[in-house]
Amino acid sequence: MTQEILRPVADNASGGAESDTVASSPRHAEQQQPRTRGGVRKVLGWMLLVMLVVAIWPATWGGLTGITVVNGHSMEPAYENNDMVLTLRHSSYAVGDVVSYKVPEGQDGAGGRVIHRIIAVDDSGVQPVFTTQGDNNPSVDPWRFSTTDIVGEATLRVPRIGGAFNGSSGLMLGAVVGFAVLVVLWPSRPKPQNGAPTTKPTHETD
């Protein structure tokens, strides 16, 4: 036999519907706050992602950063074979800077990437002309290049991982951005509201 339990219902003195009072209750406002906070976090996450992409966008694609993998021993002990070097593009460079640059057209090895130290600057022309030499090399490099050929100045060295990317800055960029997107879009676990039931209510009958 099923028993029905009758509970007294309080009179509404104003005569309005009870749902009007529930809609403006503090608990209803608390339920809306997690959704608002989650939306703000997602917007901030996307903003940080855009800033990250801008910060690491390769100089070869018009950005400020570059990634050069050291191939050889000409810059030891500062940089060793298979080191990955992050470079930043500047408006000017000086003697003593370690720069990554492309060998200009018309010179032996044109198009190749070199990361050596600037040892001389010729400012007599329209653009400065640089001369470099490897720290571990006995002779001066044969190449002469200008600011437009420089990818950037060496800023950060990551030892012995360059071989994994085979000198591909695009691959490195994709790995970093892919990880950032995963972090931004990974769904957060919703927290239970205070006083909210964690399981569905059950109805008992006799």
Side-chain angles (χ1 to χ4, degrees):
M1 180 179 65
T2 302
Q3 296 180 351
E4 294 183 358
I5 302 175
L6 300 180
R7 295 182 175 86
V9 179
D11 294 334
N12 192 340
S14 61
E18 186 179 358
S19 58
D20 294 337
T21 304
V22 174
S24 58
S25 65
R27 177 172 295 182
H28 181 76
E30 291 178 359
Q31 293 175 352
Q32 296 298 325
Q33 288 178 1
R35 298 181 182 178
T36 303
R37 288 195 296 267
V40 172
R41 283 196 299 266
K42 181 166 290 188
V43 170
L44 291 177
W46 278 110
M47 290 176 62
L48 290 175
L49 176 60
V50 171
M51 293 172 63
L52 175 64
V53 172
V54 171
I56 68 175
W57 197 255
T60 53
W61 298 348
L64 298 177
T65 64
I67 296 174
T68 299
V69 175
V70 178
N71 183 15
H73 306 279
S74 62
M75 281 300 295
E76 291 180 352
Y79 301 104
E80 298 181 353
N81 189 46
N82 275 336
D83 284 353
M84 188 175 69
V85 181
L86 175 68
T87 60
L88 290 178
R89 174 176 284 174
H90 303 304
S91 58
S92 62
Y93 304 90
V95 172
D97 293 342
V98 176
V99 294
S100 175
Y101 63 93
K102 289 185 177 181
V103 177
E105 294 294 331
Q107 301 185 34
D108 187 25
R113 183 77 68 87
V114 180
I115 180 165
H116 279 175
R117 192 179 303 276
I118 297 175
I119 61 169
V121 181
D122 182 2
D123 291 322
S124 60
V126 178
Q127 289 189 6
V129 177
F130 301 94
T131 302
T132 57
Q133 182 177 352
D135 290 355
N136 197 37
N137 282 352
S139 58
V140 176
D141 295 334
W143 309 291
R144 301 295 179 267
F145 57 95
S146 63
T147 306
T148 56
D149 301 309
I150 298 179
V151 177
E153 180 185 1
T155 303
L156 177 66
R157 167 182 174 254
V158 184
R160 306 301 180 96
I161 72 166
F165 297 97
N166 296 319
S168 174
S169 59
L171 180 60
M172 182 61 181
L173 174 67
V176 174
V177 173
F179 177 76
V181 171
L182 181 63
V183 171
V184 171
L185 297 182
W186 191 265
S188 59
R189 185 177 180 180
K191 296 180 180 180
Q193 300 298 315
N194 294 333
T198 55
T199 59
K200 293 183 178 180
T202 56
H203 298 278
E204 296 182 358
T205 57
D206 293 338

